Amino acid sequence: MSYANDMSVESTAGSRLPVPGGAQLDPVAALRASVLVLARRLRNQQGAGVGGQLSATELAVLGRLARCGPMTPGQLAKAEHVQPPSMTRIVERLEARGLLARQPHPTDRRQVLISRTEAVNALVTELRAVRAAWLASHLERLDAEDQHAIAAALPALQRLAELA
């Protein structure tokens, strides 16, 4: 029994796909399980550089700042679902590594804004290269039919990702 079958739940449409052996597979559950496993494995490909020394939460904070721009520590804590004292420690560790910087808040002198430094750009480039190489090596291990199926599904997967 595969992971996708173990985690299967009836999709909202109730549709099921036939799989070898006559079993029926819920495509929503199968896609969810496959995407979760693949995302987890990609996250674990951090490389031997600075990225390999960062926790998942630290990487999430760097990613959040890349997407949202400078934020207060309180905003970061809320966005990442951690307690403010925990976020303070995370910010301090990243700041000590030269990955984050503090600036005065433009309208509230009691606050500071946390932003990424230029050093993060090199780290992000390194992490993307490591993850891309890992994914490429695993795609190469698939047969040509599976590679073409994935390539054909990319436009639909991109549209699905844009809906979120």
Side-chain angles (χ1 to χ4, degrees), residues 1-26:
M1 186 176 282
S2 73
Y3 178 76
N5 286 336
D6 291 342
M7 301 301 292
S8 180
V9 245
E10 192 69 28
S11 71
T12 54
S15 61
R16 302 187 81 64
L17 298 174
V19 293
Q24 298 289 311
L25 181 66
D26 177 3

Side-chain angles (χ1 to χ4, degrees), residues 93-157:
R93 284 193 306 265
L94 292 171
E95 187 177 26
R97 291 182 177 152
L99 301 174
L100 294 183
R102 298 173 192 251
Q103 297 99 28
H105 194 285
T107 59
D108 185 350
R109 291 173 40 170
R110 298 169 296 165
Q111 294 281 338
V112 295
L113 290 177
I114 307 298
S115 61
R116 295 174 9 149
T117 64
E118 287 300 315
V120 174
N121 295 334
L123 172 64
V124 168
T125 300
E126 173 194 339
L127 290 174
R128 284 183 182 154
V130 167
R131 290 174 178 168
W134 180 89
L135 187 56
S137 72
H138 282 72
L139 283 169
E140 289 171 356
R141 293 169 48 189
L142 295 175
D143 62 30
E145 184 178 335
D146 283 344
Q147 290 178 12
H148 290 296
I150 290 171
L154 287 175
L157 289 171

